[in-house]
Amino acid sequence: MRRRLIVHQPTNHYSNRYRYYNIFFDNLIKKLSEKHDVIVDRYQKNVHKGRVDVELGWYDDKDFFIEMQDCEMIIEDYETKETQILSVSDDLTPTSLNLQSYDNTKKIFISQFIRDKVYHHVAEENHHKYSPWIYFPSNEYDLEKYYQKRLETEPQDSRMYFRGETGTRTILQHFNSDVFYGGSPIGGFNSYADELMNFKLGLSVAGRGEMCYRDVEYMALGVPFIRFEYTTEFLEPLIPNFHYISVERPNDLFDWMQLDRLGEKHHADMIIERYMQVKEDKEFLNFISKNARNYYENYLSPTASVDFTIKMMGYEV
C-alpha cells in the first residue's frame, strides 16, 4: 500500500556527515520514496549545537512540538497519524520518552536498548511500544576494502586491540602490554584499520552507550572481539560466543548505570582470563569472525540496514 509519509530528522551542513546514522537516514528516505509519497522535514539551523523543536503534523487546529536530536527520526503517516520513532541516541531522550502515552505513537525503536533502563523510564502500559533496533559504524568508511585485506592477512599479534577515547574508559588502565595494545585514536580511520589488521582480536569497551561504533566495525572487518555479555538487546539478537567472545557479566556490572568502561581490576582480570582461553584457538576465532561478519552483512551493512528497518516498521520495501 502506497502511503503518504512525513519524515522528521533534524540536520544541517555541520551535522549531516558527523556520524554514519545521518547517511543511513538519507538512504532510508531514498528507499521509502521508491514506494511511498514522502515529505521531508529536515533542515534545522542549530541542531549541531543540541536539541531543537520540531513540529509534528498530528493536529490541524493546534501546534505540537517535540525536542529532537540529529540522531533521531520520526515518521508520521499523514492519513492515519500513526507515528514511529527511530533513535540512535546513547541515552533516552525527549523524543524517545515524551511521545509514549499518545495513541498516535505506534512504535519506538531504540539502538541502545537496555530493557531494565527503558522500563524504568516508561509507564508499564507503554512497554509494548518499545523495541530494540540496530546500531551503526561511526561513519562512512571503506569497510569492504579492509574486510578483503583482512581475508588476505594473517594477523600475528595475539594481544587484544582497542583504540578510542580513553579518559572515560577507566577499565583500560588495568590491562598491561602483555595482553593489550592500543589507547587513544591515532588519526583517521585508515590508520586505525591498517593497524587493526595486525591483531587477532579486538577488545570491546562501552562508550557513552554500551554498544560502541567499533563493535560494528569489528564485525564488518571480520575481526573477532571480546567483551562482557551485552545487556543491550538488538532486534536480531547478538549471541554470546557465536557472534562475539563473551565474558560472563558479574553481578556488580548488571546495573545499567555501571557500564563496563568503568570496570575495576577484578573486571579486567575476568576479561583477561577468557582472553587467555581463546587467544590461540584459531578455529574458534574464525568461527566468531565468520558469524559476526554474516550478522553485519544481513542486518548492519548499508543496504541491509535500510531494508531491515523498513520491514521492521511494516512499510513496503
Side-chain angles (χ1 to χ4, degrees), residues 157 159-160 172 174-182 199 275:
D157 201 317
R159 290 176 292 179
M160 297 178 286
L172 293 176
H174 302 299
F175 296 106
N176 63 47
S177 59
D178 292 332
V179 299
F180 172 77
Y181 183 87
F199 291 83
Y275 156 76

Side-chain angles (χ1 to χ4, degrees), residues 299-313:
Y299 306 106
L300 308 180
S301 65
T303 298
S305 59
V306 169
D307 290 345
F308 181 68
T309 298
I310 291 176
K311 291 177 183 177
M312 172 189 80
M313 293 188 293

Side-chain angles (χ1 to χ4, degrees), residues 146-186:
Y146 283 98
Y147 173 62
Q148 293 302 319
K149 184 174 182 178
R150 179 78 179 185
L151 294 177
E152 299 164 2
T153 301
E154 187 68 35
Q156 299 300 313
D157 201 317
S158 296
R159 290 176 292 179
M160 297 178 286
Y161 177 88
F162 174 86
R163 282 202 180 274
E165 200 281 320
T166 59
T168 59
R169 293 179 168 99
T170 54
I171 192 172
L172 293 176
Q173 68 189 18
H174 302 299
F175 296 106
N176 63 47
S177 59
D178 292 332
V179 299
F180 172 77
Y181 183 87
S184 299
I186 54 170

Side-chain angles (χ1 to χ4, degrees), residues 230-243:
Y230 285 110
T231 56
T232 300
E233 299 176 36
F234 308 95
L235 190 57
E236 185 65 30
L238 279 174
I239 303 170
N241 295 314
F242 185 86
H243 294 117

